[in-house]
Amino acid sequence: MSIWWSLRLRRDAASVRLARRLFLGTMETAGVDPDITYDLSVALSEACANAVEHGGSGESCEAFRVTAYLDGEMCRIEVADTGPGFPATGRAAQPCTAPPDAEHGRGLCLIQELADHVTIGTEPGRGGAVVSFDKLLKWREDAPLAAV
């Protein structure tokens, strides 16, 4: 079983909620374990919030992209914006250095804790940040679309 969807969203807070709700509905319909779904939905929300906050300024930076893939036993989520990006491209995320009581800078740390593999970088040829993360799926016993 394979499902994927991609959204181009405006950079505002309502877009974060929309992406999360669509993702939750997809995962529930597919029959993914609720704990896995929750972890990924929080990570998705953090990545989208980062795109909204840091995705650039001006008319050319009015949107960001969210793509989710469920392929067999794996889920991959990618959030890309048109902001300044990260200094290094295509690298595995580094260990988190944000203090636990920091009000900013913990989103990527949270994504790292909730996902199995995280890659951060800059969109090749276009610029902008790309945060991609994977997690091995578990299925409910009654899952209609469980991987075989």
Side-chain angles (χ1 to χ4, degrees):
M1 185 262 317
S2 182
I3 299 172
W4 74 270
W5 51 259
S6 187
L7 302 169
R8 184 175 183 269
L9 299 167
R10 288 187 2 199
R11 285 184 49 235
D12 64 37
S15 294
V16 177
R17 290 189 305 275
L18 175 63
R20 183 176 174 142
R21 290 180 69 107
L22 179 60
F23 179 77
L24 287 168
T26 301
M27 300 294 270
E28 181 174 336
T29 300
V32 176
D33 178 82
D35 291 336
I36 299 294
T37 297
Y38 179 78
D39 287 353
L40 284 170
S41 71
V42 171
L44 171 64
S45 297
E46 289 296 329
C48 289
N50 283 346
V52 168
E53 185 173 345
H54 305 292
S57 60
E59 287 184 31
S60 65
C61 300
E62 290 298 315
F64 67 100
R65 185 185 76 243
V66 177
T67 306
Y69 307 90
L70 278 74
D71 192 13
E73 296 289 322
M74 184 64 65
C75 178
R76 167 168 282 178
I77 297 172
E78 187 175 284
V79 177
D81 63 43
T82 55
F86 293 98
T89 61
R91 64 184 173 90
Q94 301 298 312
C96 187
T97 57
D101 59 346
E103 290 189 27
H104 296 285
R106 295 184 322 185
L108 289 175
C109 299
L110 189 53
I111 294 168
Q112 284 178 283
E113 289 298 317
L114 296 170
D116 295 332
H117 180 260
V118 179
T119 302
I120 60 173
T122 301
E123 185 91 40
R126 291 185 26 194
V130 178
V131 176
S132 176
F133 49 96
D134 304 332
K135 189 160 183 87
L136 189 61
L137 297 176
K138 294 179 186 172
W139 301 89
R140 294 188 326 249
E141 284 187 30
D142 64 340
L145 300 177
V148 178

